Amino acid sequence: MMNTKEDREFEDLLNLMVDGELTKEQSEQLEKFITKSESNRQFYQDFCRLQGTLESNSGQLSRELLTTSFKMKSSSSHKVIFAIAALLALAFTVASLQRGTGEIPVERGEYLAKIDRNIFADFEYGGQHGQKLTDGSDVPAGEYNLKNGIVKIKYDNGATVILESPCRYELVNDNSMRLLSGKASIYSPNDVNYKVLCPGIVVEDLGTEFSVDYNQFENLDVHVYKGLVKVEATEEISSNKTILKAGEALRVIYNKNNQLTFSGIDYRSDLFIRQLETPNAKYAKEIVKMNPVLYYPMDVQEDGVLVDYSLYKNNGKSRGVKEQSNFFKQGKFGPAIRIGGANTGSHIFVKDYPKTKDSQITGMAWVKAKSRTKWATIMKNWVDGTKGQFHFGLDEFGYLDIEILPEDDSFYDSPELQNRDDVYLHGRSIHMRESVKFPLGTWQHVAFVHDGEHLYLYRNGKIVTSLKTPKINYPAETKILSIGTKLKSDLMSHSHYKSHWDGMLDEITIFNRALSPKEIEYVYEQVYSNAMVE
């Protein structure tokens, strides 16, 4: 097939892009070419994949190969050309490794903003000279690939952007960014009019708070929390334009044949992380007033420390999360931790915390389960071979379960223990479980309480079962608390694959007193619902 004039223009723009010489107008023209047709998009994706491989190994796609591939663009033959170039790239990689070549610089512009907060942020290439970006770092203009963690960027004009990995984006100037893939949440003062640019689309704030999620060349979702947002297609692509107000959402679908479709979707406030600061003040204030001995609102610091907001300051330590690209997700308030099950082994380790001495204890959390893993852990003062005071999570059949170690065995022959399906012995310990399997995919408030005489199990503010038992054993036979998994006796590795939570955990709290049913209901119905960030 003949190489058309349009193809030659497309080729020239790609060459300029490779050389880093695109002007703003040429960049916009290239964007139009990419979104014009499915074949253009596919060709561009193939080109970028190969170019990325070559650039990471000090190479560059030759103009001769690019021209040849363009001549065959309408067929599958261009893929053969790219495949040949990929083989050359592989050979080049081997040679580069033998020579010990260093990292290739990425173009950076003027400083635009600062890193206000980051949690395990890992960039493919960092600051002006590739240095690691940490809290307080100046951030220059340029393209970034956030491979892991979360980062909050703050501009001098007051605008802030929170980016969740994996995410590729370009900081253009102090009031706009180009989102290449992934999630971003934006707060912008009234006079800034911050813009998020995606192929064929401009999302412009009109003094608001909103989030965007761009799935490359498939769809763009926009959710508005406050104020107004304008979503507008570039004139050359489509005449679509709409204004979204608080509580509304929109999906832009990238179709074939240069078409964009605007479709209504359900508004969701729980899909994006929208704050990394101190947890919601109203909720935190109420919980601290209730005097917990341990309270984790999932405030994780840059070094992986989980901050204890109780007066006892027994901070936890996150483990096994650096290779997990989305350890943090939006929870009931700010970030929650996402425990990835057996495939990651991620969890929180707490070396010690105050144990109950008189069997007065309450443990509670907000949790969301993706599956009912056997013996899934919410929190456990328990390790392999050593039973502490409690073991809270799911049982082997997927029921919400609390296991305690009593101080004596006087209860073991109780008729009540023998005649109930929801209660059973496990060696020296007693299990009590809910009668229905644990719900999946929705946030649940769960709690257990022992008042010195009775053990209670709660879900969503209501008692689901109870049992008269002896007091809980003291002193505890182990000091540690694990969140998200049960640990081996070495306290370093997880017990086994059956013990991992698969889903999200938030607002882990322990009191060394028995909260009343009214207090549990208040926490569930009043504090949590009224303090939800909107």
Side-chain angles (χ1 to χ4, degrees), residues 378-445:
I378 296 174
M379 52 178 158
K380 295 176 179 176
N381 171 228
W382 217 270
V383 297
D384 272 3
T386 305
K387 296 184 176 183
Q389 293 192 325
F390 67 87
H391 183 291
F392 189 38
L394 304 185
D395 72 1
E396 61 179 324
F397 302 108
Y399 296 89
L400 182 64
D401 177 271
I402 175 63
E403 181 180 7
I404 63 167
L405 183 64
E407 65 179 5
D408 59 61
D409 60 2
S410 61
F411 182 70
Y412 294 173
D413 295 326
S414 166
E416 184 177 10
L417 185 60
Q418 305 300 323
N419 297 325
R420 288 179 54 170
D421 293 335
D422 63 340
V423 177
Y424 62 96
L425 291 175
H426 183 203
R428 297 163 52 212
S429 57
I430 301 169
H431 279 271
M432 184 176 72
R433 71 181 190 187
E434 191 178 6
S435 59
V436 297
K437 289 197 173 183
F438 196 75
L440 300 181
T442 58
W443 283 103
Q444 305 287 315
H445 184 250

Side-chain angles (χ1 to χ4, degrees), residues 99-198:
R99 292 195 306 268
T101 56
E103 190 176 41
I104 305 305
V106 174
E107 184 177 353
R108 293 285 181 254
E110 63 177 329
Y111 289 113
L112 298 176
K114 287 183 178 292
I115 299 292
D116 185 65
R117 178 83 185 274
N118 90 93
I119 303 174
F120 290 129
D122 181 20
F123 292 90
E124 187 173 275
Y125 189 88
Q128 195 69 258
H129 304 291
Q131 70 271 28
K132 183 178 180 180
L133 292 172
T134 60
D135 293 359
S137 295
D138 292 315
V139 184
E143 187 174 327
Y144 296 83
N145 181 11
L146 180 62
K147 300 187 296 181
N148 194 15
I150 307 170
V151 65
K152 179 180 179 181
I153 297 170
K154 188 171 185 178
Y155 295 86
D156 287 341
N157 58 23
T160 62
V161 180
I162 294 177
L163 299 142
E164 305 174 42
S165 65
C167 182
R168 291 181 59 246
Y169 62 95
E170 179 187 356
L171 297 184
V172 179
N173 52 43
D174 61 0
N175 70 347
S176 68
M177 66 173 290
R178 193 180 308 278
L179 187 60
L180 305 174
S181 66
K183 292 182 175 182
S185 295
I186 294 91
Y187 165 75
S188 178
N190 290 329
D191 56 349
V192 173
N193 295 111
Y194 196 90
K195 299 180 181 67
V196 178
L197 313 175
C198 291

Side-chain angles (χ1 to χ4, degrees), residues 29 115 120 131 198 219 257 280 282 346 388 491 502 515:
Q29 183 64 25
I115 299 292
F120 290 129
Q131 70 271 28
C198 291
N219 59 269
N257 303 320
N280 182 274
K282 180 178 179 181
S346 55
L491 306 184
D502 181 20
L515 267 61

Side-chain angles (χ1 to χ4, degrees), residues 200-217:
I201 292 290
V202 177
V203 183
E204 180 179 357
D205 91 272
L206 303 176
T208 188
E209 182 187 355
F210 67 99
S211 294
V212 292
D213 182 2
Y214 176 47
N215 188 4
Q216 195 172 32
F217 299 122

Side-chain angles (χ1 to χ4, degrees), residues 201-250:
I201 292 290
V202 177
V203 183
E204 180 179 357
D205 91 272
L206 303 176
T208 188
E209 182 187 355
F210 67 99
S211 294
V212 292
D213 182 2
Y214 176 47
N215 188 4
Q216 195 172 32
F217 299 122
E218 293 186 14
N219 59 269
L220 168 70
D221 292 351
V222 183
H223 295 258
V224 181
Y225 314 116
K226 296 178 182 178
L228 300 173
V229 165
K230 180 170 67 174
V231 182
E232 184 173 15
T234 57
E235 292 183 5
E236 295 80 358
I237 300 297
S238 169
S239 60
N240 282 337
K241 179 175 72 173
T242 189
I243 301 292
L244 298 176
K245 60 184 180 181
E248 293 183 341
L250 175 73

Side-chain angles (χ1 to χ4, degrees), residues 10 30-49 73 78-79 82 199-200 214-218 237 253-260:
F10 193 9
L30 177 59
E31 191 172 281
K32 295 173 189 175
F33 275 120
I34 294 168
T35 56
K36 185 173 183 180
S37 69
E38 179 63 26
S39 63
N40 280 5
R41 285 194 288 270
Q42 184 60 53
F43 186 87
Y44 179 73
Q45 287 175 318
D46 291 337
F47 171 80
C48 287
R49 277 193 289 268
K73 181 166 72 71
H78 80 270
K79 294 182 180 293
F82 281 148
Y214 176 47
N215 188 4
Q216 195 172 32
F217 299 122
E218 293 186 14
I237 300 297
I253 301 173
Y254 289 80
N255 301 315
K256 296 181 180 180
N257 303 320
N258 195 28
Q259 295 294 315
L260 296 176

